[in-house]
Amino acid sequence: MSPPYPADQALANVLKISRLNGWSVALFAGFCTLLTMLIGDLTGILIGGMVVASGLMEVRGNRMLRRRIATGMRWLIGAQWFLLGVILIYAVIRILSFDGEFAAGTLTPNLRDALKQFELNLDDIKPLIGRVVRVFYGAVMLAAFTFRG
């Protein structure tokens, strides 16, 4: 069993991880938000902006902790809970806004030919696509809740 970290070493680790995590989230989400702006997806822009905000919250908490301001830890924790909330909201929006007709309309000609070979039509697979979407976003929510921060 290893001895406990000294307080300074623990703080150094928190500062290193929170700085990397905060900037990674903010920059990656910022890039993705710019892409959603090009597409014109309003929901994606709003969610992306909130994810950027969570990354910047973490960066702010990091800077406060560097200056030995204890409330910086609240910012770090709050950023993680905020990000979790945004992920959960996004997943629920995607599940509730799923449109089987639209999804079926986006199938490529090759996939349509494959369906014909198996003697399936689009009405047969729409429920399956909906189930896959629910399972996928359910897994995203479970993973986000389980592995937050």
Side-chain angles (χ1 to χ4, degrees):
M1 194 160 138
S2 63
Y5 278 1
D8 288 337
Q9 181 62 41
L11 179 61
N13 287 343
V14 167
L15 290 172
K16 182 172 81 172
I17 292 169
S18 64
R19 182 172 186 240
L20 176 66
N21 188 55
W23 281 115
S24 297
V25 168
L27 293 174
F28 183 73
F31 175 73
C32 291
T33 303
L34 289 175
L35 291 178
T36 58
M37 285 179 177
L38 293 174
I39 296 169
D41 177 17
L42 183 59
T43 303
I45 294 168
L46 293 173
I47 295 293
M50 288 191 285
V51 174
V52 170
S54 75
L56 295 177
M57 286 170 62
E58 190 158 359
V59 170
R60 177 177 168 83
N62 176 281
R63 289 180 177 165
M64 291 171 80
L65 279 179
R66 277 194 195 284
R67 294 188 305 252
R68 304 284 184 169
I69 300 171
T71 55
M73 188 57 80
R74 287 186 187 161
W75 279 87
L76 295 180
I77 294 168
Q80 294 301 311
W81 283 106
F82 183 69
L83 180 58
L84 173 64
V86 171
I87 292 170
L88 296 178
I89 289 168
Y90 175 77
V92 168
I93 288 171
R94 289 299 177 209
I95 289 171
L96 295 177
S97 68
F98 174 73
D99 181 6
E101 293 293 326
F102 177 78
T106 61
L107 293 178
T108 64
N110 289 341
L111 285 175
R112 289 178 191 272
D113 291 340
L115 287 175
K116 287 178 187 173
Q117 287 177 356
F118 290 107
E119 298 177 1
L120 295 170
N121 61 35
L122 292 179
D123 292 331
D124 294 333
I125 65 161
K126 285 178 195 172
L128 176 64
I129 296 171
R131 194 169 306 131
V132 167
V133 167
R134 288 189 301 276
V135 167
F136 174 77
Y137 283 109
V140 167
M141 289 188 283
L142 181 64
F145 190 78
T146 303
F147 299 109
R148 69 186 183 283

Short mmCIF file of all heavy atoms in Angstrom, two decimals, residues 53-116:
data_model
loop_
_atom_site.label_atom_id
_atom_site.label_comp_id
_atom_site.label_asym_id
_atom_site.label_seq_id
_atom_site.Cartn_x
_atom_site.Cartn_y
_atom_site.Cartn_z
N ALA A 53 -18.85 26.30 -22.48
CA ALA A 53 -18.96 26.99 -21.18
C ALA A 53 -18.49 26.08 -20.04
O ALA A 53 -17.81 26.55 -19.12
CB ALA A 53 -20.39 27.45 -20.94
N SER A 54 -18.82 24.79 -20.11
CA SER A 54 -18.38 23.89 -19.03
C SER A 54 -16.86 23.76 -19.01
O SER A 54 -16.25 23.72 -17.94
CB SER A 54 -19.04 22.52 -19.16
OG SER A 54 -18.46 21.77 -20.20
N GLY A 55 -16.25 23.72 -20.19
CA GLY A 55 -14.79 23.67 -20.25
C GLY A 55 -14.16 24.93 -19.68
O GLY A 55 -13.17 24.88 -18.95
N LEU A 56 -14.75 26.08 -20.02
CA LEU A 56 -14.23 27.35 -19.51
C LEU A 56 -14.45 27.48 -18.00
O LEU A 56 -13.64 28.10 -17.30
CB LEU A 56 -14.85 28.51 -20.26
CG LEU A 56 -14.46 28.57 -21.75
CD1 LEU A 56 -15.19 29.72 -22.45
CD2 LEU A 56 -12.97 28.66 -21.94
N MET A 57 -15.55 26.90 -17.51
CA MET A 57 -15.76 26.87 -16.05
C MET A 57 -14.63 26.11 -15.37
O MET A 57 -14.13 26.53 -14.31
CB MET A 57 -17.10 26.20 -15.71
CG MET A 57 -18.33 27.02 -16.01
SD MET A 57 -19.86 26.07 -15.86
CE MET A 57 -19.84 25.61 -14.13
N GLU A 58 -14.24 25.01 -15.97
CA GLU A 58 -13.15 24.22 -15.39
C GLU A 58 -11.83 24.98 -15.45
O GLU A 58 -11.04 24.96 -14.50
CB GLU A 58 -13.04 22.88 -16.10
CG GLU A 58 -12.10 21.94 -15.39
CD GLU A 58 -12.36 20.48 -15.72
OE1 GLU A 58 -13.28 20.16 -16.47
OE2 GLU A 58 -11.59 19.66 -15.19
N VAL A 59 -11.58 25.68 -16.53
CA VAL A 59 -10.37 26.49 -16.64
C VAL A 59 -10.38 27.59 -15.58
O VAL A 59 -9.36 27.85 -14.93
CB VAL A 59 -10.24 27.09 -18.06
CG1 VAL A 59 -9.14 28.13 -18.13
CG2 VAL A 59 -10.00 25.98 -19.08
N ARG A 60 -11.53 28.21 -15.37
CA ARG A 60 -11.64 29.25 -14.34
C ARG A 60 -11.34 28.67 -12.96
O ARG A 60 -10.61 29.26 -12.16
CB ARG A 60 -13.02 29.90 -14.35
CG ARG A 60 -13.21 30.92 -13.26
CD ARG A 60 -14.58 31.58 -13.37
NE ARG A 60 -14.92 32.36 -12.21
CZ ARG A 60 -14.52 33.60 -12.00
NH1 ARG A 60 -13.76 34.20 -12.89
NH2 ARG A 60 -14.88 34.25 -10.91
N GLY A 61 -11.93 27.51 -12.66
CA GLY A 61 -11.65 26.87 -11.38
C GLY A 61 -10.19 26.54 -11.22
O GLY A 61 -9.61 26.70 -10.13
N ASN A 62 -9.57 26.09 -12.29
CA ASN A 62 -8.15 25.78 -12.27
C ASN A 62 -7.34 27.03 -11.91
O ASN A 62 -6.43 26.98 -11.08
CB ASN A 62 -7.72 25.22 -13.63
CG ASN A 62 -6.24 24.97 -13.73
OD1 ASN A 62 -5.47 25.90 -13.94
ND2 ASN A 62 -5.86 23.71 -13.59
N ARG A 63 -7.66 28.14 -12.56
CA ARG A 63 -6.91 29.38 -12.30
C ARG A 63 -7.12 29.86 -10.86
O ARG A 63 -6.19 30.39 -10.25
CB ARG A 63 -7.34 30.45 -13.30
CG ARG A 63 -6.82 30.14 -14.69
CD ARG A 63 -7.22 31.18 -15.69
NE ARG A 63 -6.62 30.87 -16.99
CZ ARG A 63 -7.00 31.41 -18.12
NH1 ARG A 63 -7.96 32.31 -18.13
NH2 ARG A 63 -6.42 31.06 -19.25
N MET A 64 -8.32 29.69 -10.36
CA MET A 64 -8.57 30.09 -8.97
C MET A 64 -7.75 29.24 -8.01
O MET A 64 -7.17 29.75 -7.05
CB MET A 64 -10.07 29.98 -8.66
CG MET A 64 -10.91 31.02 -9.41
SD MET A 64 -12.68 30.72 -9.22
CE MET A 64 -12.92 31.44 -7.59
N LEU A 65 -7.72 27.93 -8.29
CA LEU A 65 -6.93 27.05 -7.41
C LEU A 65 -5.44 27.36 -7.49
O LEU A 65 -4.73 27.26 -6.49
CB LEU A 65 -7.17 25.58 -7.77
CG LEU A 65 -8.42 24.94 -7.22
CD1 LEU A 65 -8.52 23.49 -7.69
CD2 LEU A 65 -8.46 25.00 -5.71
N ARG A 66 -4.96 27.73 -8.65
CA ARG A 66 -3.55 28.11 -8.79
C ARG A 66 -3.21 29.29 -7.88
O ARG A 66 -2.10 29.41 -7.39
CB ARG A 66 -3.23 28.50 -10.23
CG ARG A 66 -2.95 27.34 -11.11
CD ARG A 66 -2.33 27.79 -12.42
NE ARG A 66 -2.41 26.71 -13.38
CZ ARG A 66 -1.63 25.64 -13.36
NH1 ARG A 66 -0.71 25.51 -12.45
NH2 ARG A 66 -1.77 24.70 -14.27
N ARG A 67 -4.18 30.18 -7.71
CA ARG A 67 -3.99 31.35 -6.83
C ARG A 67 -4.37 31.03 -5.39
O ARG A 67 -4.47 31.93 -4.57
CB ARG A 67 -4.80 32.53 -7.36
CG ARG A 67 -4.31 33.05 -8.70
CD ARG A 67 -4.99 34.33 -9.10
NE ARG A 67 -6.44 34.22 -9.11
CZ ARG A 67 -7.19 34.19 -10.22
NH1 ARG A 67 -6.63 34.30 -11.40
NH2 ARG A 67 -8.49 34.09 -10.13
N ARG A 68 -4.61 29.72 -5.13
CA ARG A 68 -4.96 29.24 -3.78
C ARG A 68 -6.29 29.79 -3.28
O ARG A 68 -6.49 29.99 -2.09
CB ARG A 68 -3.86 29.56 -2.77
CG ARG A 68 -2.50 29.05 -3.13
CD ARG A 68 -2.40 27.60 -2.88
NE ARG A 68 -1.02 27.17 -3.16
CZ ARG A 68 -0.58 25.99 -2.84
NH1 ARG A 68 -1.35 25.13 -2.26
NH2 ARG A 68 0.66 25.64 -3.14
N ILE A 69 -7.22 30.02 -4.22
CA ILE A 69 -8.58 30.42 -3.86
C ILE A 69 -9.40 29.14 -3.81
O ILE A 69 -9.63 28.48 -4.83
CB ILE A 69 -9.17 31.42 -4.88
CG1 ILE A 69 -8.30 32.67 -4.94
CG2 ILE A 69 -10.61 31.76 -4.53
CD1 ILE A 69 -8.65 33.62 -6.07
N ALA A 70 -9.86 28.78 -2.62
CA ALA A 70 -10.49 27.48 -2.40
C ALA A 70 -11.79 27.30 -3.20
O ALA A 70 -12.13 26.17 -3.56
CB ALA A 70 -10.77 27.29 -0.92
N THR A 71 -12.50 28.38 -3.51
CA THR A 71 -13.75 28.23 -4.26
C THR A 71 -13.51 27.74 -5.69
O THR A 71 -14.45 27.37 -6.38
CB THR A 71 -14.55 29.54 -4.28
OG1 THR A 71 -13.72 30.59 -4.79
CG2 THR A 71 -15.06 29.90 -2.91
N GLY A 72 -12.27 27.72 -6.11
CA GLY A 72 -11.95 27.16 -7.43
C GLY A 72 -12.36 25.70 -7.53
O GLY A 72 -12.76 25.23 -8.60
N MET A 73 -12.30 24.98 -6.40
CA MET A 73 -12.72 23.58 -6.41
C MET A 73 -14.21 23.47 -6.70
O MET A 73 -14.66 22.55 -7.39
CB MET A 73 -12.38 22.91 -5.07
CG MET A 73 -12.62 21.42 -5.09
SD MET A 73 -11.70 20.55 -6.38
CE MET A 73 -10.10 20.43 -5.64
N ARG A 74 -14.99 24.42 -6.22
CA ARG A 74 -16.44 24.42 -6.54
C ARG A 74 -16.66 24.60 -8.04
O ARG A 74 -17.56 24.01 -8.61
CB ARG A 74 -17.15 25.53 -5.78
CG ARG A 74 -17.29 25.25 -4.32
CD ARG A 74 -18.14 26.31 -3.67
NE ARG A 74 -18.12 26.12 -2.24
CZ ARG A 74 -18.44 27.04 -1.37
NH1 ARG A 74 -18.82 28.23 -1.77
NH2 ARG A 74 -18.41 26.78 -0.09
N TRP A 75 -15.83 25.44 -8.65
CA TRP A 75 -15.94 25.64 -10.10
C TRP A 75 -15.60 24.34 -10.84
O TRP A 75 -16.25 24.01 -11.83
CB TRP A 75 -15.02 26.77 -10.55
CG TRP A 75 -15.61 28.11 -10.31
CD1 TRP A 75 -15.53 28.86 -9.18
CD2 TRP A 75 -16.39 28.88 -11.24
NE1 TRP A 75 -16.21 30.04 -9.34
CE2 TRP A 75 -16.74 30.08 -10.60
CE3 TRP A 75 -16.80 28.66 -12.55
CZ2 TRP A 75 -17.50 31.06 -11.22
CZ3 TRP A 75 -17.55 29.64 -13.17
CH2 TRP A 75 -17.89 30.82 -12.51
N LEU A 76 -14.57 23.64 -10.38
CA LEU A 76 -14.20 22.38 -11.03
C LEU A 76 -15.33 21.35 -10.92
O LEU A 76 -15.69 20.71 -11.91
CB LEU A 76 -12.92 21.81 -10.42
CG LEU A 76 -11.64 22.61 -10.58
CD1 LEU A 76 -10.49 21.89 -9.92
CD2 LEU A 76 -11.34 22.86 -12.05
N ILE A 77 -15.86 21.21 -9.73
CA ILE A 77 -16.95 20.26 -9.52
C ILE A 77 -18.20 20.70 -10.27
O ILE A 77 -18.86 19.89 -10.93
CB ILE A 77 -17.23 20.10 -8.01
CG1 ILE A 77 -16.01 19.45 -7.33
CG2 ILE A 77 -18.49 19.27 -7.78
CD1 ILE A 77 -16.04 19.50 -5.82
N GLY A 78 -18.51 21.99 -10.20
CA GLY A 78 -19.68 22.51 -10.91
C GLY A 78 -19.58 22.31 -12.41
O GLY A 78 -20.58 22.02 -13.08
N ALA A 79 -18.38 22.45 -12.95
CA ALA A 79 -18.18 22.27 -14.39
C ALA A 79 -18.50 20.83 -14.79
O ALA A 79 -19.12 20.60 -15.84
CB ALA A 79 -16.74 22.61 -14.78
N GLN A 80 -18.11 19.89 -13.95
CA GLN A 80 -18.39 18.48 -14.26
C GLN A 80 -19.88 18.19 -14.21
O GLN A 80 -20.42 17.50 -15.07
CB GLN A 80 -17.62 17.57 -13.30
CG GLN A 80 -16.13 17.62 -13.46
CD GLN A 80 -15.69 17.26 -14.85
OE1 GLN A 80 -16.10 16.25 -15.41
NE2 GLN A 80 -14.85 18.09 -15.44
N TRP A 81 -20.56 18.70 -13.19
CA TRP A 81 -22.01 18.49 -13.09
C TRP A 81 -22.75 19.20 -14.22
O TRP A 81 -23.72 18.67 -14.76
CB TRP A 81 -22.53 18.94 -11.73
CG TRP A 81 -22.22 17.96 -10.64
CD1 TRP A 81 -21.29 18.09 -9.66
CD2 TRP A 81 -22.82 16.67 -10.46
NE1 TRP A 81 -21.29 16.96 -8.87
CE2 TRP A 81 -22.21 16.08 -9.35
CE3 TRP A 81 -23.81 15.97 -11.14
CZ2 TRP A 81 -22.58 14.81 -8.89
CZ3 TRP A 81 -24.16 14.69 -10.68
CH2 TRP A 81 -23.55 14.14 -9.57
N PHE A 82 -22.29 20.38 -14.58
CA PHE A 82 -22.91 21.12 -15.68
C PHE A 82 -22.75 20.34 -16.99
O PHE A 82 -23.71 20.18 -17.76
CB PHE A 82 -22.30 22.52 -15.79
CG PHE A 82 -22.92 23.37 -16.86
CD1 PHE A 82 -24.23 23.83 -16.73
CD2 PHE A 82 -22.20 23.72 -17.98
CE1 PHE A 82 -24.80 24.62 -17.72
CE2 PHE A 82 -22.76 24.51 -18.97
CZ PHE A 82 -24.07 24.96 -18.84
N LEU A 83 -21.55 19.84 -17.24
CA LEU A 83 -21.30 19.05 -18.45
C LEU A 83 -22.17 17.79 -18.47
O LEU A 83 -22.74 17.44 -19.50
CB LEU A 83 -19.82 18.69 -18.57
CG LEU A 83 -19.43 17.86 -19.80
CD1 LEU A 83 -19.79 18.58 -21.09
CD2 LEU A 83 -17.95 17.54 -19.75
N LEU A 84 -22.28 17.13 -17.34
CA LEU A 84 -23.15 15.95 -17.25
C LEU A 84 -24.58 16.33 -17.61
O LEU A 84 -25.23 15.63 -18.40
CB LEU A 84 -23.10 15.33 -15.86
CG LEU A 84 -24.09 14.19 -15.62
CD1 LEU A 84 -23.77 13.00 -16.52
CD2 LEU A 84 -24.09 13.78 -14.15
N GLY A 85 -25.07 17.43 -17.07
CA GLY A 85 -26.43 17.87 -17.37
C GLY A 85 -26.62 18.16 -18.85
O GLY A 85 -27.64 17.79 -19.44
N VAL A 86 -25.64 18.80 -19.46
CA VAL A 86 -25.73 19.11 -20.88
C VAL A 86 -25.77 17.83 -21.71
O VAL A 86 -26.56 17.70 -22.65
CB VAL A 86 -24.55 20.01 -21.32
CG1 VAL A 86 -24.49 20.16 -22.83
CG2 VAL A 86 -24.65 21.37 -20.66
N ILE A 87 -24.93 16.87 -21.37
CA ILE A 87 -24.91 15.59 -22.10
C ILE A 87 -26.25 14.89 -21.96
O ILE A 87 -26.80 14.37 -22.95
CB ILE A 87 -23.75 14.70 -21.63
CG1 ILE A 87 -22.41 15.31 -22.04
CG2 ILE A 87 -23.88 13.27 -22.17
CD1 ILE A 87 -21.20 14.64 -21.42
N LEU A 88 -26.80 14.86 -20.76
CA LEU A 88 -28.08 14.20 -20.55
C LEU A 88 -29.20 14.90 -21.31
O LEU A 88 -30.04 14.24 -21.95
CB LEU A 88 -28.41 14.13 -19.06
CG LEU A 88 -27.46 13.29 -18.20
CD1 LEU A 88 -27.87 13.35 -16.74
CD2 LEU A 88 -27.39 11.86 -18.69
N ILE A 89 -29.20 16.22 -21.28
CA ILE A 89 -30.21 16.98 -22.03
C ILE A 89 -30.09 16.71 -23.52
O ILE A 89 -31.09 16.47 -24.21
CB ILE A 89 -30.10 18.49 -21.71
CG1 ILE A 89 -30.57 18.76 -20.29
CG2 ILE A 89 -30.89 19.32 -22.72
CD1 ILE A 89 -30.24 20.15 -19.79
N TYR A 90 -28.87 16.73 -24.04
CA TYR A 90 -28.65 16.47 -25.46
C TYR A 90 -29.17 15.09 -25.85
O TYR A 90 -29.85 14.93 -26.87
CB TYR A 90 -27.16 16.59 -25.79
CG TYR A 90 -26.84 16.21 -27.21
CD1 TYR A 90 -27.11 17.08 -28.26
CD2 TYR A 90 -26.27 14.98 -27.51
CE1 TYR A 90 -26.82 16.74 -29.58
CE2 TYR A 90 -25.98 14.63 -28.82
CZ TYR A 90 -26.26 15.51 -29.84
OH TYR A 90 -25.98 15.16 -31.12
N ALA A 91 -28.85 14.08 -25.05
CA ALA A 91 -29.27 12.71 -25.37
C ALA A 91 -30.79 12.60 -25.35
O ALA A 91 -31.38 11.98 -26.24
CB ALA A 91 -28.64 11.72 -24.39
N VAL A 92 -31.43 13.20 -24.37
CA VAL A 92 -32.89 13.16 -24.29
C VAL A 92 -33.51 13.88 -25.49
O VAL A 92 -34.48 13.38 -26.09
CB VAL A 92 -33.39 13.75 -22.95
CG1 VAL A 92 -34.89 13.99 -22.97
CG2 VAL A 92 -33.01 12.83 -21.80
N ILE A 93 -32.95 15.02 -25.86
CA ILE A 93 -33.46 15.74 -27.04
C ILE A 93 -33.35 14.87 -28.28
O ILE A 93 -34.29 14.80 -29.08
CB ILE A 93 -32.70 17.08 -27.24
CG1 ILE A 93 -33.11 18.08 -26.17
CG2 ILE A 93 -32.94 17.64 -28.63
CD1 ILE A 93 -32.25 19.34 -26.17
N ARG A 94 -32.23 14.21 -28.45
CA ARG A 94 -32.04 13.37 -29.63
C ARG A 94 -33.01 12.17 -29.64
O ARG A 94 -33.52 11.79 -30.69
CB ARG A 94 -30.60 12.87 -29.74
CG ARG A 94 -29.63 13.95 -30.09
CD ARG A 94 -29.98 14.54 -31.44
NE ARG A 94 -29.10 15.63 -31.75
CZ ARG A 94 -29.42 16.67 -32.51
NH1 ARG A 94 -30.61 16.75 -33.03
NH2 ARG A 94 -28.56 17.61 -32.75
N ILE A 95 -33.25 11.59 -28.49
CA ILE A 95 -34.20 10.47 -28.41
C ILE A 95 -35.61 10.96 -28.73
O ILE A 95 -36.33 10.34 -29.53
CB ILE A 95 -34.15 9.81 -27.02
CG1 ILE A 95 -32.84 9.03 -26.86
CG2 ILE A 95 -35.36 8.88 -26.82
CD1 ILE A 95 -32.59 8.52 -25.46
N LEU A 96 -36.01 12.08 -28.14
CA LEU A 96 -37.37 12.58 -28.33
C LEU A 96 -37.61 13.15 -29.72
O LEU A 96 -38.74 13.16 -30.21
CB LEU A 96 -37.71 13.63 -27.26
CG LEU A 96 -37.76 13.12 -25.82
CD1 LEU A 96 -38.01 14.26 -24.86
CD2 LEU A 96 -38.80 12.02 -25.67
N SER A 97 -36.55 13.63 -30.36
CA SER A 97 -36.72 14.25 -31.68
C SER A 97 -36.44 13.29 -32.82
O SER A 97 -36.45 13.70 -33.98
CB SER A 97 -35.81 15.47 -31.81
OG SER A 97 -34.45 15.08 -31.83
N PHE A 98 -36.23 12.01 -32.51
CA PHE A 98 -35.94 11.04 -33.57
C PHE A 98 -37.12 10.95 -34.53
O PHE A 98 -38.27 10.83 -34.13
CB PHE A 98 -35.63 9.67 -32.98
CG PHE A 98 -35.47 8.61 -34.03
CD1 PHE A 98 -34.35 8.58 -34.83
CD2 PHE A 98 -36.47 7.67 -34.24
CE1 PHE A 98 -34.21 7.63 -35.81
CE2 PHE A 98 -36.33 6.71 -35.22
CZ PHE A 98 -35.20 6.69 -36.01
N ASP A 99 -36.81 10.99 -35.81
CA ASP A 99 -37.81 10.91 -36.86
C ASP A 99 -37.46 9.73 -37.77
O ASP A 99 -36.50 9.79 -38.53
CB ASP A 99 -37.83 12.22 -37.65
CG ASP A 99 -38.87 12.24 -38.76
OD1 ASP A 99 -39.67 11.29 -38.86
OD2 ASP A 99 -38.87 13.22 -39.53
N GLY A 100 -38.25 8.67 -37.67
CA GLY A 100 -38.00 7.48 -38.46
C GLY A 100 -38.09 7.72 -39.95
O GLY A 100 -37.35 7.13 -40.73
N GLU A 101 -39.00 8.59 -40.36
CA GLU A 101 -39.15 8.90 -41.78
C GLU A 101 -37.89 9.56 -42.33
O GLU A 101 -37.41 9.21 -43.39
CB GLU A 101 -40.36 9.82 -42.01
CG GLU A 101 -41.69 9.19 -41.73
CD GLU A 101 -42.02 8.07 -42.70
OE1 GLU A 101 -41.63 8.16 -43.88
OE2 GLU A 101 -42.64 7.09 -42.26
N PHE A 102 -37.38 10.53 -41.57
CA PHE A 102 -36.16 11.21 -42.00
C PHE A 102 -34.99 10.24 -42.06
O PHE A 102 -34.21 10.24 -43.02
CB PHE A 102 -35.83 12.38 -41.07
CG PHE A 102 -34.56 13.08 -41.42
CD1 PHE A 102 -34.51 13.97 -42.47
CD2 PHE A 102 -33.39 12.85 -40.70
CE1 PHE A 102 -33.33 14.61 -42.83
CE2 PHE A 102 -32.21 13.47 -41.03
CZ PHE A 102 -32.18 14.36 -42.09
N ALA A 103 -34.85 9.40 -41.02
CA ALA A 103 -33.75 8.44 -40.98
C ALA A 103 -33.84 7.47 -42.16
O ALA A 103 -32.83 7.17 -42.80
CB ALA A 103 -33.76 7.68 -39.67
N ALA A 104 -35.03 7.01 -42.45
CA ALA A 104 -35.20 6.09 -43.57
C ALA A 104 -34.88 6.78 -44.89
O ALA A 104 -34.35 6.16 -45.82
CB ALA A 104 -36.62 5.54 -43.58
N GLY A 105 -35.18 8.06 -44.98
CA GLY A 105 -34.91 8.80 -46.20
C GLY A 105 -33.43 9.04 -46.45
O GLY A 105 -33.03 9.38 -47.56
N THR A 106 -32.61 8.87 -45.43
CA THR A 106 -31.17 9.12 -45.59
C THR A 106 -30.39 7.85 -45.94
O THR A 106 -29.16 7.92 -46.06
CB THR A 106 -30.58 9.72 -44.30
OG1 THR A 106 -30.76 8.79 -43.23
CG2 THR A 106 -31.23 11.06 -43.97
N LEU A 107 -31.08 6.73 -46.10
CA LEU A 107 -30.37 5.50 -46.45
C LEU A 107 -29.77 5.62 -47.84
O LEU A 107 -30.38 6.15 -48.76
CB LEU A 107 -31.33 4.31 -46.41
CG LEU A 107 -31.88 3.91 -45.05
CD1 LEU A 107 -32.85 2.75 -45.19
CD2 LEU A 107 -30.77 3.56 -44.08
N THR A 108 -28.59 5.10 -48.00
CA THR A 108 -27.91 5.14 -49.29
C THR A 108 -28.55 4.12 -50.24
O THR A 108 -29.20 3.16 -49.79
CB THR A 108 -26.42 4.80 -49.13
OG1 THR A 108 -26.31 3.45 -48.67
CG2 THR A 108 -25.73 5.76 -48.17
N PRO A 109 -28.36 4.30 -51.53
CA PRO A 109 -28.90 3.32 -52.49
C PRO A 109 -28.39 1.90 -52.23
O PRO A 109 -29.14 0.94 -52.40
CB PRO A 109 -28.41 3.85 -53.84
CG PRO A 109 -28.24 5.32 -53.63
CD PRO A 109 -27.79 5.47 -52.21
N ASN A 110 -27.14 1.77 -51.79
CA ASN A 110 -26.61 0.43 -51.49
C ASN A 110 -27.36 -0.22 -50.35
O ASN A 110 -27.63 -1.42 -50.38
CB ASN A 110 -25.12 0.51 -51.16
CG ASN A 110 -24.27 0.83 -52.36
OD1 ASN A 110 -24.71 0.66 -53.50
ND2 ASN A 110 -23.07 1.30 -52.13
N LEU A 111 -27.68 0.56 -49.32
CA LEU A 111 -28.45 0.00 -48.20
C LEU A 111 -29.87 -0.36 -48.62
O LEU A 111 -30.41 -1.37 -48.18
CB LEU A 111 -28.47 0.98 -47.03
CG LEU A 111 -27.19 1.09 -46.23
CD1 LEU A 111 -27.29 2.19 -45.17
CD2 LEU A 111 -26.87 -0.23 -45.55
N ARG A 112 -30.45 0.45 -49.48
CA ARG A 112 -31.80 0.14 -49.98
C ARG A 112 -31.78 -1.17 -50.78
O ARG A 112 -32.69 -1.99 -50.65
CB ARG A 112 -32.32 1.29 -50.84
CG ARG A 112 -32.67 2.51 -50.04
CD ARG A 112 -33.14 3.64 -50.96
NE ARG A 112 -33.24 4.88 -50.26
CZ ARG A 112 -34.34 5.29 -49.61
NH1 ARG A 112 -35.42 4.55 -49.61
NH2 ARG A 112 -34.34 6.44 -48.97
N ASP A 113 -30.74 -1.35 -51.59
CA ASP A 113 -30.62 -2.60 -52.35
C ASP A 113 -30.43 -3.79 -51.42
O ASP A 113 -30.99 -4.87 -51.65
CB ASP A 113 -29.44 -2.52 -53.32
CG ASP A 113 -29.68 -1.54 -54.46
OD1 ASP A 113 -30.87 -1.21 -54.72
OD2 ASP A 113 -28.69 -1.10 -55.08
N ALA A 114 -29.66 -3.61 -50.37
CA ALA A 114 -29.45 -4.69 -49.40
C ALA A 114 -30.76 -5.05 -48.72
O ALA A 114 -31.05 -6.24 -48.49
CB ALA A 114 -28.40 -4.28 -48.37
N LEU A 115 -31.58 -4.06 -48.40
CA LEU A 115 -32.89 -4.34 -47.80
C LEU A 115 -33.76 -5.16 -48.74
O LEU A 115 -34.44 -6.09 -48.32
CB LEU A 115 -33.60 -3.03 -47.43
CG LEU A 115 -33.06 -2.27 -46.24
CD1 LEU A 115 -33.80 -0.95 -46.08
CD2 LEU A 115 -33.18 -3.09 -44.98
N LYS A 116 -33.73 -4.81 -50.02
CA LYS A 116 -34.53 -5.55 -51.01
C LYS A 116 -34.05 -7.00 -51.12
O LYS A 116 -34.86 -7.91 -51.28
CB LYS A 116 -34.45 -4.85 -52.37
CG LYS A 116 -35.24 -3.58 -52.44
CD LYS A 116 -35.09 -2.91 -53.80
CE LYS A 116 -35.74 -1.55 -53.78
NZ LYS A 116 -35.49 -0.80 -55.02
#
